Amino acid sequence: MTTDLIPGPTGAAAASLAGALEELVGRTPLLDVPLPGLARSVRLLAKLEAANPLASVKDRAALFMMRAAEESGLLPTAGGTVIECSSGSTGISLAALCARRGHRCIIVMPDNATEERRLILRELGAEVHLVPHQDGLLSAWAYAENLQRTLPGSWVPHQDRNPANVRAHYETTGPEIWEATRGRVDVLVCGVGTGGTLTGTARYLKERTTLHVVAVEPARSAVLSGGEAGPHGIPGIGAGYISEITDLSLVDEVVAVGDLDASATAREITRATGLPVGVSSGAAAWASRAVTAAPRWAGATVVTVFPDSGERYLSTAR
């Protein structure tokens, strides 16, 4: 298994001129992660989604969903109202796009969302509605849908059932990984929240190569593994139900990760790379290390997704 990569641009060659926020979404780098305890012959490459303009993988889905709504007439190109249920990152990405377009933005969030995420949303002009986290995400969606009924003409992206969420990763994340690895990727490890990132990326890559796909979920809400939904400490994954857009036929293995293991591994990554990463990145890295400890993966190239930066979680004890 060879692991040659296309070298990325450096210095002046890396500079570019963007005319709008949208032009900055995507084309994020792959980082060779020296994760302690990783099998010596295994190469772990992480897609650094914090390099997106709003510092998360959700920039991709938010942009594709909003463009699709504008093209279909569900949302005007300016002056509309967007309501979405989000634990943080999707809401932040939508709020930024709304600010640029002049849309009213209302984000329904669990009341245990970190203060950093609430502050960023309000700075972007979004209205934040907090709902009890213990009631679960489905209850939060019901709140958002009831709110929509009181605001005629408003649009709810519904990221958990919106095909544009999957398309964003089929058309951008998957091709970027394919190009950067020259098509030499053996394992994809991806956390599952709405399932858009895993489904779109895995579908693109599996159409082109033999690939082992690992879905990562919280041990305390291991619904993909057949367990019960429940509160957990890994923001961004583990919605507590399997969304409409999650294609389980693409998944070859499911790994459930404990909250403490995810947090500890996030700290390991920060110490090893100098980059603060979110807890869900820690979960993905922990799963990558656990899966590739098996002898069958000697010499493998493993690609995982680090969804966001750890700066949004600093107020949460890790």
Side-chain angles (χ1 to χ4, degrees), residues 89-106:
S89 291
T90 301
I92 290 169
S93 300
L94 286 168
L97 293 169
C98 286
R100 172 167 156 72
R101 288 161 164 78
H103 297 317
R104 180 185 181 188
C105 182
I106 303 171

Side-chain angles (χ1 to χ4, degrees), residues 211-278:
L211 181 73
H212 186 80
V213 174
V214 179
V216 182
E217 65 178 352
R220 290 169 59 188
S221 190
V223 296
L224 295 175
S225 303
E228 295 292 324
H232 60 86
I234 310 179
I237 67 172
Y241 65 99
I242 301 172
S243 78
E244 293 181 18
I245 60 172
T246 301
D247 186 350
L248 294 178
S249 71
L250 297 168
V251 177
D252 300 295
E253 185 175 358
V254 178
V255 175
V257 182
D259 294 357
L260 294 179
D261 287 329
S263 295
T265 308
R267 286 193 294 271
E268 286 186 74
I269 295 165
T270 299
R271 302 294 189 273
T273 65
L275 294 172
V277 298

Side-chain angles (χ1 to χ4, degrees), residues 35-170:
L35 185 66
L38 188 70
R40 186 168 300 176
S41 65
V42 172
R43 191 176 196 186
L44 177 61
L45 304 173
K47 193 81 164 128
L48 294 183
E49 290 301 290
N52 281 302
L54 276 301
S56 89
V57 69
K58 297 299 187 177
D59 284 4
R60 299 176 188 264
L63 179 58
F64 271 67
M65 291 190 297
M66 189 167 286
R67 281 179 173 168
E70 291 170 348
E71 290 167 3
S72 66
L74 290 173
L75 183 69
T77 55
T81 299
V82 176
I83 306 168
E84 183 67 329
C85 181
S86 169
S87 63
S89 291
T90 301
I92 290 169
S93 300
L94 286 168
L97 293 169
C98 286
R100 172 167 156 72
R101 288 161 164 78
H103 297 317
R104 180 185 181 188
C105 182
I106 303 171
I107 301 300
V108 180
M109 299 182 73
D111 58 9
N112 63 346
T114 63
E115 187 64 21
E116 294 92 337
R117 284 176 278 177
R118 302 185 206 184
L119 290 172
I120 293 169
L121 282 167
R122 292 180 176 128
E123 183 68 19
L124 289 166
E127 302 166 37
V128 178
H129 290 218
L130 298 176
V131 295
H133 70 275
Q134 62 268 24
D135 292 347
L137 192 53
L138 290 176
S139 175
W141 279 121
Y143 180 98
E145 290 161 359
N146 287 334
L147 185 59
Q148 182 189 28
R149 283 189 277 272
T150 70
L151 296 169
S154 59
W155 171 62
V156 177
H158 238 304
Q159 57 179 310
D160 64 333
R161 63 176 69 162
N162 194 320
N165 183 351
V166 174
R167 190 167 66 251
H169 300 286
Y170 184 85

